[in-house]
Amino acid sequence: ASPEDRVADGTTDDALGWIDGNGSEPFLLFVHYFDPHLPYSPPAPYDTLFYPHYSGEIPDPYDLTSLPLIRNRGFKQLESLSPEDWNRIESLYDGEIAFADASIGTFLKGLDQRGLLDNTLIVFMSDHGEEFFEHHGFEHGHTLYEELIKVPLIFSLPGTVPDDRRIARQVRLVDVMPTILDVLDIPVPTEAEGVSLLPLMAGSERIPLVRAEALPPEIAFSEDLLYGQEQKCLSAYPWKLVYNIVTEEASLYNLAEDASEHENLYGRAVPSQAILDETLFGLLFSISDTWFVEMVGGEEPHRYDIRIEGKDQRGPAPFSIHKFIDARGNILSTDAFGNTDIKPYSIDIRDLHVKDPLVLAFKMEKSRVSVVFDIRIDGKPATNRTFVGGSLSRPVSMPFTERPSDGDVRGKARATDKPAGPYCIIRLDRSSYGEEAAIELDEATRRELRSLGYIQ
């Protein structure tokens, strides 16, 4: 059935019916309640439960057939709605939540009637929230404000999970799988990025680290890829950093003092900003292929002029992220040094004076894109002072092209092998995460997941 045809009571009936046919053996069941989504159309009495006396023009069901166009225009068409109209829209959404909540209660009662409630681990979670113009937007998938990424998470298993404990600190959805395995005494795979929350449930103040994580348990990562401009976010309560990949604009919020996220503190000498910057871009540089251009002047500064272009079979290829990293690991904008001319398909940095190590890191919007480099040091083509990959091979001419498929471009040179400055070393770090899925999905499943927004 399509998402519009799923209703909560029917989902409960289907889930309990499946259990009746399979519940005699250990099972894992994912019950997906889809009701709190457009169109907002709760059944009676939930349709009038929260705003019974509305007399405006917002219909039931409420849908927005022109929503893609409205998104593209920045939601301007919604500015004319009155507070009563917004209350009406929210009341229909709240009605869907209440209807789903009642149906989930019926599901839990059904488990109890079947003698399964006391020996079944129940995990309640959501993948996103919904915006109702708090930040001049609507629905979800377009921003990373708290109304969209702060979601509930509940575990229940009598005798194992305390039924009176509420964890105040921030946790993450990536922690759900390790927690389930830990509760069931199943070893957590070493490649899992989350951590078990069971120690917190048992009353511990901290989560023991059993290995190095991409992010420590105190930091959550979120991203927006569904609509509009791509954005990335790190949350380390109370601090929250949001970065727009397209515009390179950043926002920093203190959620303890500004829960509504209306005061952007980025650039105001907040000590946590540098740490979050370094952590965010370190993560982004590690989870997909990243090019690095390392420059060292040596005993005295030398002038670097750099032009970088991306190209694929169809022509110019766009960049996605480009940042400088100084010798102390600080993340700096590409316009922090020299004269820069940044275009979607090229990076031009002129008159960049370098003494201490400075690295230009950048990512291409698509994988397997060829990159053309033109490096000049002190105004001269740097053919003899430019090195590639761990082998430190030298280009035969300037400019020159490197491809991700070329083995020589990969690998990090040992410090003892590096020449005296001035020099430039170019390398491509391939992500350890790769791009291969663990399973192959048939086309029907892919269509279903696309309709739900889970894959692109």
Side-chain angles (χ1 to χ4, degrees):
S2 66
E4 292 79 4
D5 294 332
R6 291 193 184 98
V7 289
D9 51 3
T11 299
T12 290
D13 291 342
D14 290 344
L16 292 175
W18 186 91
I19 289 174
D20 288 336
N22 300 274
S24 60
E25 300 290 336
F27 64 86
L28 169 66
L29 177 60
F30 173 50
V31 187
H32 188 185
Y33 290 89
F34 199 82
D35 295 71
H37 279 79
L38 284 174
Y40 303 151
S41 182
Y46 301 98
D47 55 342
T48 58
L49 184 62
F50 296 99
Y51 198 5
H53 303 301
Y54 175 75
S55 58
E57 297 181 358
I58 299 298
D60 176 10
Y62 179 72
D63 201 356
L64 214 50
T65 56
S66 59
L67 187 56
L69 184 60
I70 289 176
R71 287 194 192 98
N72 293 336
R73 292 178 176 173
F75 299 98
K76 295 293 185 182
Q77 290 175 248
L78 298 177
E79 292 181 354
S80 62
L81 294 180
S82 68
E84 291 76 16
D85 291 336
W86 279 113
N87 287 339
R88 163 67 165 176
I89 295 170
E90 288 189 55
S91 74
L92 294 174
Y93 179 74
D94 290 342
E96 290 196 328
I97 294 175
F99 175 50
D101 183 69
S103 298
I104 292 170
T106 301
F107 174 70
L108 297 177
K109 183 177 180 180
L111 288 180
D112 194 21
Q113 292 171 341
R114 290 160 175 80
L116 295 172
L117 193 59
D118 290 340
N119 66 343
T120 299
L121 173 63
I122 307 294
V123 183
F124 175 84
M125 57 190 285
S126 177
D127 57 342
H128 62 78
E130 204 88 331
E131 183 186 353
F132 294 95
F133 227 58
E134 290 91 341
H135 292 90
H136 301 282
F138 177 61
E139 206 218 11
H140 59 270
H142 55 282
T143 69
L144 294 170
Y145 289 111
E146 289 295 278
E147 56 264 24
L148 297 180
I149 67 172
K150 186 176 181 179
V151 295
L153 178 60
I154 302 172
F155 287 83
S156 175
L157 179 60
T160 301
V161 177
D163 60 5
D164 59 350
R165 186 175 303 282
R166 180 169 183 171
I167 299 173
R169 56 159 283 177
Q170 172 186 276
V171 297
R172 311 164 300 178
L173 291 182
V174 74
D175 300 324
V176 170
M177 184 268 282
T179 305
I180 292 174
L181 296 179
D182 196 12
V183 169
L184 300 179
D185 200 25
I186 298 174
V188 179
T190 56
E191 64 269 19
E193 283 302 330
V195 295
S196 172
L197 304 177
L198 195 56
L200 292 181
M201 297 178 191
S204 173
E205 294 296 323
R206 299 186 62 83
I207 300 174
L209 285 176
V210 295
R211 63 182 184 85
E213 307 288 334
L215 287 173
E218 294 80 13
I219 300 181
F221 173 72
S222 306
E223 59 184 340
D224 168 25
L225 297 171
L226 195 55
Y227 308 119
Q229 297 175 335
E230 183 176 351
Q231 300 175 73
K232 311 291 183 181
C233 168
L234 284 188
S235 299
Y237 191 85
W239 297 105
K240 177 178 177 180
L241 172 68
V242 181
Y243 181 78
N244 187 309
I245 297 294
V246 178
T247 66
E248 300 187 65
E249 295 175 343
S251 301
L252 181 68
Y253 303 105
N254 184 332
L255 298 178
E257 300 178 0
D258 178 28
S260 60
E261 299 169 276
H262 284 113
E263 184 178 7
N264 182 4
L265 301 177
Y266 195 85
R268 300 192 191 178
V270 177
S272 298
Q273 177 182 314
I275 298 174
L276 287 173
D277 271 341
E278 181 181 342
T279 304
L280 175 62
F281 286 98
L283 175 66
L284 296 181
F285 292 150
S286 70
I287 61 177
S288 60
D289 297 352
T290 302
W291 291 88
F292 293 91
V293 180
E294 178 185 353
M295 293 160 279
V296 174
E299 295 183 357
E300 60 183 29
H302 288 265
R303 179 167 61 89
Y304 285 74
D305 297 296
I306 301 171
R307 179 175 174 83
I308 305 173
E309 297 177 88
K311 292 186 177 180
D312 60 19
Q313 295 178 344
R314 300 180 180 178
F319 295 84
S320 63
I321 301 175
H322 35 78
K323 293 289 180 181
F324 276 124
I325 307 172
D326 68 14
R328 292 174 293 180
N330 296 319
I331 303 294
L332 306 169
S333 173
T334 42
D335 59 7
F337 302 101
N339 300 312
T340 62
D341 183 13
I342 307 296
K343 295 185 172 66
Y345 306 102
S346 65
I347 298 174
D348 267 298
I349 301 173
R350 303 297 179 191
D351 199 28
L352 174 62
H353 292 265
V354 177
K355 178 182 178 182
D356 298 326
L358 183 67
V359 175
L360 171 63
F362 66 89
K363 305 172 80 68
M364 306 307 299
E365 196 170 279
K366 298 178 181 179
S367 62
R368 308 194 183 284
V369 170
S370 298
V371 181
V372 181
F373 296 90
D374 189 356
I375 312 292
R376 298 175 183 270
I377 300 178
D378 297 328
K380 300 177 181 179
T383 308
N384 294 326
R385 305 304 301 168
T386 298
F387 305 88
V388 178
S391 64
L392 297 180
S393 60
R394 288 185 295 187
V396 297
S397 62
M398 191 69 67
F400 65 100
T401 301
E402 292 294 335
R403 300 171 179 81
S405 57
D406 294 340
D408 289 344
V409 77
R410 298 193 290 274
K412 195 171 184 178
R414 296 182 301 179
T416 54
D417 294 335
K418 293 181 180 180
Y423 67 78
C424 183
I425 296 178
I426 295 169
R427 77 176 194 273
L428 172 65
D429 282 2
R430 304 304 298 267
S431 170
S432 59
Y433 294 87
E435 299 179 353
E436 295 183 1
I439 60 173
E440 288 292 332
L441 302 176
D442 59 59
E443 187 53 36
T445 303
R446 287 180 177 276
R447 285 196 302 269
E448 181 81 356
L449 292 175
R450 287 192 196 99
S451 72
L452 300 174
Y454 290 136
I455 64 173
Q456 302 300 308

